[in-house]
């Protein structure tokens, strides 16, 4: 019985150490953290203002093929993408965020002003300096 208790104790200790290692492995880069913060605090009324705190390249590009939107650079992103967001009073709920290499993926629940709920995914491609250079809204 003492051996069984000892083995269970060892297993628990090893399991806890492994869980800590996995938790440490899911830490996000500063840019992914900035994207996460933007998504968590998102309000459609000041969406671009919040987004502008995320590091981007000068000519970053966003494509939202399902709704036919595409824009390059901060001015177009603000006008076209955030124009759509404002027009539809789009609300976003971050379900999960995953970072793998130079890609950050956000899983979202989107709600329009009419109450339509859409499952969405946004993929952010980061450059070598960790700035967003490409976004796909799917």
């Amino acid at each position: 019985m003492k051996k069984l208790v000892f083995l269970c104790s060892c297993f628990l200790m090893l399991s806890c150490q492994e869980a800590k290692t996995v938790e440490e492995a899911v830490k996000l880069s500063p840019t992914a953290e900035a994207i996460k913060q933007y998504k968590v605090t998102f309000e459609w009324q000041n969406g671009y203002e919040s987004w502008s705190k995320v590091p981007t390249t000068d000519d970053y590009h966003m494509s939202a093929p399902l709704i036919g939107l595409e824009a390059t650079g901060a001015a177009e992103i603000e006008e076209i993408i955030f124009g759509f967001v404002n027009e539809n009073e789009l609300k976003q709920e971050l379900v999960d965020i995953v970072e793998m290499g130079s890609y950050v993926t956000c899983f979202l629940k989107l709600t329009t002003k009419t109450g339509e709920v859409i499952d969405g995914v946004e993929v952010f491609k980061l450059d070598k300096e960790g700035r967003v250079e490409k976004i796909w809204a799917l």
Side-chain angles (χ1 to χ4, degrees):
M1 184 63 167
K2 288 182 181 181
K3 287 183 181 181
L4 183 59
V5 171
F6 176 74
L7 286 174
C8 288
S9 297
C10 289
F11 178 73
L12 276 172
M13 287 181 0
L14 289 173
S15 295
C16 290
Q17 288 176 345
E18 183 62 31
K20 185 177 179 184
T21 304
V22 170
E23 187 176 297
E24 290 172 357
V26 295
K27 287 186 179 180
L28 299 172
S29 69
T31 301
E33 279 292 344
I35 293 169
K36 179 181 177 182
Q37 183 64 24
Y38 159 71
K39 293 294 183 186
V40 168
T41 61
F42 181 83
E43 294 178 356
W44 64 268
Q45 301 91 329
N46 59 1
Y48 184 77
E49 181 183 325
S50 296
W51 167 251
S52 66
K53 296 175 180 138
V54 176
T56 61
T57 61
D58 290 337
D59 62 345
Y60 72 106
H61 180 84
M62 182 169 183
S63 177
L66 295 176
I67 54 176
L69 297 179
E70 196 158 340
T72 301
E76 280 189 17
I77 299 283
E78 182 176 15
E79 179 185 342
I80 296 169
I81 303 301
F82 286 94
F84 175 85
V85 168
N86 289 334
E87 181 180 316
N88 290 281
E89 298 176 11
L90 197 63
K91 296 177 182 159
Q92 298 184 28
E93 174 191 345
L94 180 64
V95 176
D96 197 7
I97 183 168
V98 177
E99 183 172 25
M100 185 174 178
S102 60
Y103 292 91
V104 177
T105 304
C106 292
F107 299 92
L108 307 164
K109 286 270 185 217
L110 307 168
T111 306
T112 66
K113 66 182 174 185
T114 62
E116 182 180 6
V117 178
I118 305 157
D119 290 328
V121 175
E122 288 184 358
V123 180
F124 301 82
K125 169 81 168 82
L126 309 182
D127 70 2
K128 291 178 181 170
E129 286 81 41
R131 300 172 300 175
V132 174
E133 66 179 349
K134 179 81 175 155
I135 308 165
W136 295 272
L138 309 168

